[in-house]
Amino acid sequence: MSGSLHYKKHDKNYVAIDSIIFGFDDGKLKLLLIKRNFPPCKGQWSLMGGFVGEKESLDKAAYRILEQLTGLKEVYLEQLYAYGDINRDTEARVISVAYYALIKIDDYDSELGKKHGASWFAIDELPPLIFDHKIMVQKAMRRLRRKTIIQPVGFELLPEKFTLPQLQKLYEAIHQKEMDKRNFRKRMLSIGVINKLNEKDKNSSKRGAYLYEFDKEKYDYLATNGNLFDFV
Amino acid sequence: MSGSLHYKKHDKNYVAIDSIIFGFDDGKLKLLLIKRNFPPCKGQWSLMGGFVGEKESLDKAAYRILEQLTGLKEVYLEQLYAYGDINRDTEARVISVAYYALIKIDDYDSELGKKHGASWFAIDELPPLIFDHKIMVQKAMRRLRRKTIIQPVGFELLPEKFTLPQLQKLYEAIHQKEMDKRNFRKRMLSIGVINKLNEKDKNSSKRGAYLYEFDKEKYDYLATNGNLFDFV
DNA sequence: GCATTTAGCGTTATTTTTACACTTTATTTT
DNA sequence: AAAATAAAGTGTAAAAATAACGCTAAATGC
């Protein structure tokens, strides 16, 4: 297969993956970054990345790299954009396909993270990043914002059980603006993909807020039967 | 630069561009396809494509390839998605970054097109396409639909001067549904980026319809001053 | 039992979107 | 020259979606 009869004359390029890994904790949207312990730019902050093997699809590579750092397999992962400027990497010509991931921060394997020199940064307190990684992050933020308008991906960032105030804080963090409590609830409940549980979470208030869970079946049903976001 | 001290151990891959080239003619949205005169899949219909050189950015490669086929340089061109399945190309492992272009079909150099065995197909009468090109086209359609909702890219597909009925037909072709004349006009005019001219086009009616032109300056002004689509 | 803190709830005004039908204009036909 | 034709152009009202707004309820800590 790799014997390319007709393609031989063409160039090959290094192709890499870079992952923008979102988490939500302490009312803040965060990114998981690594401190590079290899050149170039050793010691600087960077997105998690890696090279795409010749026998590996882009998606597979993206999952592999994400798992390397977080230990997580079943996460929301979506391709963002391919970056191909000639000098974007200072070491060699590398085309990077950026992916963004939404993870439940509690599930994240922090031991693995430590090995890679990883740590979480609030989205509005990021350190300087290598290469074009800042641009990638900005694009990921815009994408995530648009995405949460048309699909309920926000749940990917919360624990299985969450409260409405939590969900609202997440949306506020993503859209960087405050929202009205009543309108937010109305909209969320009217979509009909979260179920109220008979438990309360009392961590953030004396009274305690009801826990909800995302109903994937209802979501799939609505999505396939065209009642949900049928303008997309 | 290509001496990659630390990257040497990693694989390199063929990286290609494939272009979904949209045009609008005869009230129909069309795609420019080529009949491949080289293996693999010689003789079958395909998107225009080409390989990315080692000293060439993705965007540059996309423009180069587009110009090769159409003779056009200043066109709307946007990256769509990177396709990286291991066996998507039957000849070798090739990662393809798809771009979509919007061109004014009158400006297109049909002589160049002939050389490449190119011809236009209505979007709902496409022939079978090689590899994963059909999937690319579907994604491009979805992207174009969403794009026209939030940015006035439609003008890229029309001549400099166009009538409102023409513009409406274009939008109807893109969204594959009929629209109300009065509402369509109201919305378009209220955006404030088209100017009425003192000429009429009499090709498609006895009475003749007023010609309009897109006002790029007004658009840029509105876009940067936040009155246009400020939810994006 | 009083103070504190966050959860939870309903209504009205505003804006946006949709639905809908007749007149105007120039050409072609008779 | 009059009549028929064909697409262009115009306004208003109903419906739906969104935005604005303040008070009560529940549980804990003092």
Side-chain angles (χ1 to χ4, degrees), chain A residues 10-11 13 93, chain B residues 15-17 19 21 48-73 75 77 99 112 116:
Chain A
H10 298 291
D11 293 344
N13 286 285
R93 198 283 159 91
Chain B
V15 179
I17 302 288
S19 295
I21 304 171
M48 177 66 179
F51 286 86
V52 178
E54 203 194 357
K55 308 236 156 128
E56 186 181 45
S57 75
L58 290 174
D59 288 351
K60 264 229 176 109
Y63 276 106
R64 169 175 62 76
I65 287 160
L66 185 67
E67 194 186 346
Q68 263 172 40
L69 181 62
T70 64
L72 300 174
K73 286 181 150 187
V75 290
L77 184 66
Y99 279 72
L112 263 177
H116 287 85

Side-chain angles (χ1 to χ4, degrees), chain A residues 142-154:
Chain A
R142 289 197 299 274
R143 180 80 136 260
L144 179 58
R145 277 192 206 115
R146 212 176 322 146
K147 199 77 184 179
T148 54
I149 293 173
I150 59 177
Q151 268 176 51
V153 290

Side-chain angles (χ1 to χ4, degrees), chain A residues 122-139:
Chain A
I123 197 76
D124 49 5
E125 295 168 10
L126 296 181
L129 297 173
I130 65 164
F131 303 165
D132 48 2
H133 288 192
K134 189 179 173 189
I135 290 170
M136 294 179 181
V137 170
Q138 287 168 339
K139 194 171 189 94

Side-chain angles (χ1 to χ4, degrees), chain A:
Chain A
M1 180 56 70
S2 75
S4 52
L5 285 69
H6 309 95
Y7 297 168
K8 273 262 165 65
K9 61 182 167 189
H10 298 291
D11 293 344
K12 284 187 167 187
N13 286 285
Y14 290 117
V15 178
I17 302 287
D18 282 303
S19 295
I20 297 100
I21 304 171
F22 287 102
F24 181 66
D25 185 34
D26 190 26
K28 288 179 177 180
L29 191 63
K30 298 187 175 179
L31 284 191
L32 188 58
L33 302 174
I34 62 166
K35 196 161 202 165
R36 277 170 78 104
N37 59 356
F38 49 91
C41 303
K42 186 168 172 170
Q44 292 183 250
W45 291 101
S46 159
L47 296 171
M48 178 67 179
F51 285 86
V52 178
E54 203 193 359
K55 308 236 157 127
E56 186 180 46
S57 76
L58 290 173
D59 287 352
K60 263 229 177 111
Y63 276 106
R64 170 176 61 77
I65 287 160
L66 185 67
E67 194 186 346
Q68 262 172 40
L69 182 61
T70 64
L72 301 173
K73 285 181 153 189
E74 310 263 310
V75 290
Y76 185 87
L77 185 65
E78 182 183 315
Q79 189 188 303
L80 182 64
Y81 197 78
Y83 293 86
D85 276 2
I86 201 77
N87 289 318
R88 50 168 299 282
D89 186 313
T90 54
E91 185 79 3
R93 198 283 159 91
V94 180
I95 291 164
S96 173
V97 182
Y99 278 72
Y100 75 100
L102 308 179
I103 75 173
K104 304 183 201 299
I105 221 162
D106 300 331
D107 298 352
Y108 155 72
D109 182 341
S110 60
E111 285 309 311
L112 262 178
K114 266 178 204 157
K115 271 184 212 164
H116 287 86
S119 78
W120 290 98
F121 288 85
I123 197 76
D124 49 5
E125 295 168 10
L126 296 181
L129 297 173
I130 65 164
F131 303 165
D132 48 2
H133 288 192
K134 189 179 173 189
I135 290 170
M136 294 179 181
V137 170
Q138 287 168 339
K139 194 171 189 94
M141 273 300 290
R142 289 197 299 274
R143 180 80 136 260
L144 179 58
R145 277 192 206 115
R146 212 176 322 146
K147 199 77 184 179
T148 54
I149 293 173
I150 59 177
Q151 268 176 51
V153 290
F155 305 105
E156 305 287 346
L157 289 161
L158 293 172
E160 294 299 329
K161 299 175 181 180
F162 54 87
T163 67
L164 283 177
Q166 262 182 295
L167 185 62
Q168 181 174 350
K169 279 196 195 86
L170 170 60
Y171 272 74
E172 289 178 337
I174 292 174
H175 290 94
Q176 291 171 329
K177 67 173 177 191
E178 296 197 347
M179 298 176 184
D180 181 87
K181 223 188 330 181
R182 286 157 291 186
N183 293 337
F184 182 82
R185 277 162 180 268
K186 234 180 303 172
R187 205 177 324 137
M188 279 302 154
L189 295 173
S190 75
I191 294 175
V193 295
I194 59 177
N195 296 327
K196 190 174 182 175
L197 301 174
N198 247 332
E199 303 170 62
K200 284 193 172 185
D201 172 77
K202 299 208 170 172
N203 291 322
S204 64
S205 92
K206 293 161 186 172
R207 177 178 176 178
Y210 278 103
L211 287 164
Y212 287 75
E213 64 181 4
F214 178 60
D215 188 333
K216 187 150 176 22
E217 288 193 16
K218 256 191 217 161
Y219 172 74
D220 288 340
Y221 176 79
L222 288 175
T224 55
N225 292 55
N227 280 328
L228 186 68
F229 312 121
D230 51 9
F231 55 89
V232 179

Side-chain angles (χ1 to χ4, degrees), chain B residues 128-174:
Chain B
L129 297 173
I130 65 164
F131 304 164
D132 49 2
H133 288 191
K134 188 179 173 189
I135 289 170
M136 294 179 180
V137 170
Q138 288 168 339
K139 194 171 189 94
M141 273 301 290
R142 288 198 299 275
R143 180 80 136 259
L144 179 58
R145 276 191 208 116
R146 210 177 323 147
K147 198 78 184 179
T148 54
I149 293 173
I150 59 177
Q151 268 177 51
V153 291
F155 305 104
E156 305 287 346
L157 290 161
L158 293 173
E160 294 299 329
K161 297 175 182 182
F162 53 87
T163 68
L164 283 177
Q166 263 182 292
L167 185 62
Q168 182 174 350
K169 279 195 196 87
L170 171 60
Y171 272 74
E172 288 177 338
I174 292 174

